[in-house]
């Protein structure tokens, strides 16, 4: 109900401001065509806000509740104007690093706070690192949106082929963890055949694993983002040791919508520490930590994170490298907070 009230208030403000339809209709139409689905009231609301009064962006952030509709689509207006793209080109690299200079930085990272919470204390706090039991499973990797894949010649955005979707990124991360001695379980089950029930389905699957292996401390839900604006698909990328890596964003849920999440501030602080460690080790690998009103199943342990590895326009090789570097940064943080 609150969402519809927000949309109603937004429309009244737009009507009073006398905004012309030409300022938002082209982008809204382009978005609908790219998605191959009817334009929902939610997406209309988001595009109306984005292309009218910048002061209303906070309402747009509230409406954009799904993790693949992250705030970076709203943050793209911070990017400097780049050279015109070649005819027909619809993909463009973007530097969305937390330390790129386009965000407000907090001691080596940045925050995209889409909540009403005061997080000033967490910006200067640290959390105790996880304690692992030798020989027992320590880490769980899974994928709520298992079929999400990366740039390909066929133009598909979802596939159950584990060699092409986010499962390949999770498997690369698992190898890094296990090479360092951390036993890791990688849940490859397809959890989003019914997309509307993906999060409840994932929650049940994870709870079953955690019941069987209570030694697990770190839980990672590995996704890939989707970042589009004005008909252009952006892919966040940086270079580490001369090789292109997809930039990474940590999404932290809260209890703002009423679901239990008593330790969300600890999860959020852990994500900040990890983002800073990635900056120390790999420069501009980490994007701003994204704090959200939804819980997104980030309540399992104090070290549970939703990890967005690149976007749909990144290549799989970029995503795998970004995932590997993220796993290495986690290991380094556990050893040297």
């Amino acid at each position: 109900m609150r969402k519809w009230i927000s949309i109603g208030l937004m429309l009244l403000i737009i009507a009073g401001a006398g905004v012309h339809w030409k300022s938002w209709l082209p982008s809204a139409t382009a978005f609908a065509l790219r998605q191959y689905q009817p334009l929902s009231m939610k997406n209309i609301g988001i595009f109306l806000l984005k292309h009218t009064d910048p002061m209303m962006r906070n309402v747009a952030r509230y409406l954009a509740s799904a993790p693949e509709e992250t705030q970076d689509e709203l943050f793209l207006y911070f990017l400097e104007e780049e050279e015109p793209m070649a005819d027909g080109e619809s993909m463009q690299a973007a530097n969305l690093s937390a330390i790129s200079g386009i965000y407000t930085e907090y001691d080596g990272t940045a925050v995209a706070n889409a909540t009403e919470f005061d997080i000033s204390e967490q910006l200067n706090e640290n959390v105790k690192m996880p304690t692992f039991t030798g020989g027992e499973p320590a880490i769980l990797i899974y994928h709520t949106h298992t079929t999400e894949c990366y740039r390909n010649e066929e133009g598909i955005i979802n596939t159950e082929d584990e060699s092409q979707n986010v499962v390949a990124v999770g498997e690369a991360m698992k190898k890094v963890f296990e090479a360092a001695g951390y036993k890791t379980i990688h849940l490859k089950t397809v959890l989003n055949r019914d997309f509307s029930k993906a999060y409840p389905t994932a929650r049940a699957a994870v709870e079953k694993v955690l019941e069987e292996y209570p030694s697990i401390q770190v839980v990672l839900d590995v996704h890939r983002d989707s970042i589009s604006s004005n008909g252009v698909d952006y892919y966040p990328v940086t270079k580490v040791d001369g090789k292109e890596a997809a930039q990474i964003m940590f999404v932290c849920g809260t209890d703002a919508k009423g679901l239990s999440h008593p330790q969300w501030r600890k999860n959020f602080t852990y994500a900040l520490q990890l983002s800073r460690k990635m900056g120390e080790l790999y420069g501009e690998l980490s994007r701003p930590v994204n704090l959200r009103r939804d819980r997104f199943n980030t309540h399992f342990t104090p070290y549970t994170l939703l990890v967005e590895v690149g976007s749909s326009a990144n290549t799989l090789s970029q995503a795998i490298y970004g995932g590997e570097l993220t796993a290495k940064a986690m290991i380094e943080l556990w050893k040297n907070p």
Side-chain angles (χ1 to χ4, degrees), residues 26 34 37 46 49 83 124 233 246 249 257 262 296 328 337:
R34 288 200 307 278
Q37 62 185 24
I46 292 170
L49 291 168
E83 294 182 7
N124 299 304
D233 294 325
M249 180 173 68
K257 290 192 174 181
F296 291 132
K328 291 178 180 179

Side-chain angles (χ1 to χ4, degrees), residues 79-337:
L79 296 174
E80 295 181 3
E81 197 69 32
E82 300 191 23
E83 294 182 7
M85 295 184 298
D87 291 342
E89 186 176 354
S90 61
M91 291 181 291
Q92 188 168 313
N95 180 3
L96 301 180
S97 167
I99 56 176
S100 62
I102 61 175
Y103 304 103
T104 301
E105 186 181 326
Y106 303 96
D107 190 27
T109 192
V111 178
N113 184 4
T115 75
E116 299 80 26
F117 291 116
D118 179 358
I119 56 171
S120 54
E121 291 186 8
Q122 281 67 54
L123 299 176
N124 299 304
E125 288 183 348
N126 292 313
V127 295
K128 183 179 178 181
M129 290 299 111
T131 302
F132 301 109
T133 304
E136 296 294 325
I139 302 161
L140 169 64
I141 299 172
Y142 75 104
H143 313 274
T144 298
H145 296 154
T146 323
T147 63
E148 291 177 330
C149 64
Y150 295 88
R151 186 197 311 176
N152 56 81
E153 293 182 357
E154 292 78 17
I156 59 174
I157 58 175
N158 286 279
T159 179
E160 293 191 15
D161 184 346
E162 294 179 358
S163 68
Q164 299 298 316
N165 61 24
V166 289
V167 173
V169 178
E171 192 64 17
M173 296 176 72
K174 175 183 177 180
K175 289 179 181 178
V176 172
F177 287 131
E178 296 208 320
Y182 298 95
K183 191 171 181 180
T184 303
I185 293 176
H186 185 194
L187 184 62
K188 302 179 183 179
T189 306
V190 177
L191 302 171
N192 63 326
R193 286 199 176 99
D194 184 343
F195 196 85
S196 66
K197 297 180 180 178
Y199 277 92
T201 301
R203 182 174 66 252
V206 171
E207 286 174 346
K208 184 176 180 180
V209 174
L210 294 180
E211 183 178 354
E212 185 174 357
Y213 302 105
S215 57
I216 291 174
Q217 296 293 303
V218 176
V219 179
L220 304 175
D221 184 7
V222 178
H223 292 244
R224 66 107 176 96
D225 207 349
S226 180
I227 311 170
S228 300
S229 182
N230 296 324
V232 179
D233 294 325
Y234 290 87
Y235 57 99
V237 67
T238 187
K239 280 192 175 182
V240 178
D241 294 331
K243 184 178 177 181
E244 288 189 338
Q247 291 177 319
I248 310 299
M249 180 173 68
F250 301 119
V251 177
C252 299
T254 67
D255 56 7
K257 290 192 174 181
L259 294 178
S260 176
H261 197 339
Q263 300 187 93
W264 73 260
R265 290 183 184 273
K266 185 176 289 188
N267 293 68
F268 174 58
T269 303
Y270 174 65
L272 291 175
Q273 288 180 256
L274 182 53
S275 179
R276 293 183 184 117
K277 180 61 71 173
M278 292 167 71
E280 293 173 13
L281 297 173
Y282 306 122
E284 298 187 332
L285 182 63
S286 175
R287 292 161 57 185
V289 176
N290 191 339
L291 187 68
R292 303 293 289 275
R293 301 182 76 249
D294 297 87
R295 187 173 67 175
F296 291 132
N297 286 343
T298 58
H299 63 295
F300 296 118
T301 74
Y303 312 101
T304 297
L305 294 173
L306 191 158
V307 187
E308 297 275 10
V309 183
S311 79
S312 57
N314 282 95
T315 65
L316 179 61
S317 61
Q318 291 169 346
I320 287 175
Y321 188 41
E324 290 171 340
L325 294 174
T326 302
K328 291 178 180 179
M330 285 190 195
I331 293 169
E332 185 59 29
L333 177 65
W334 300 335
K335 295 178 177 178
N336 301 291

Side-chain angles (χ1 to χ4, degrees), residues 12-74:
L12 287 174
I13 291 172
I14 290 173
V19 176
H20 199 278
W21 61 270
K22 289 183 179 179
S23 66
W24 56 266
L25 184 58
S27 293
T29 304
F31 180 85
L33 291 174
R34 288 200 307 278
Q35 298 301 314
Y36 300 101
Q37 62 185 24
L39 191 65
S40 68
M41 283 300 298
K42 175 178 170 182
N43 290 328
I44 290 174
I46 292 170
F47 271 90
L48 283 171
L49 291 168
K50 282 179 56 184
H51 297 283
T52 55
D53 186 355
M55 293 179 65
M56 293 299 293
R57 291 181 189 276
N58 283 329
V59 181
R61 292 170 187 168
Y62 168 71
L63 292 174
S65 58
E68 54 271 272
E69 295 170 338
T70 62
Q71 296 174 85
D72 282 291
E73 187 175 349
L74 305 173

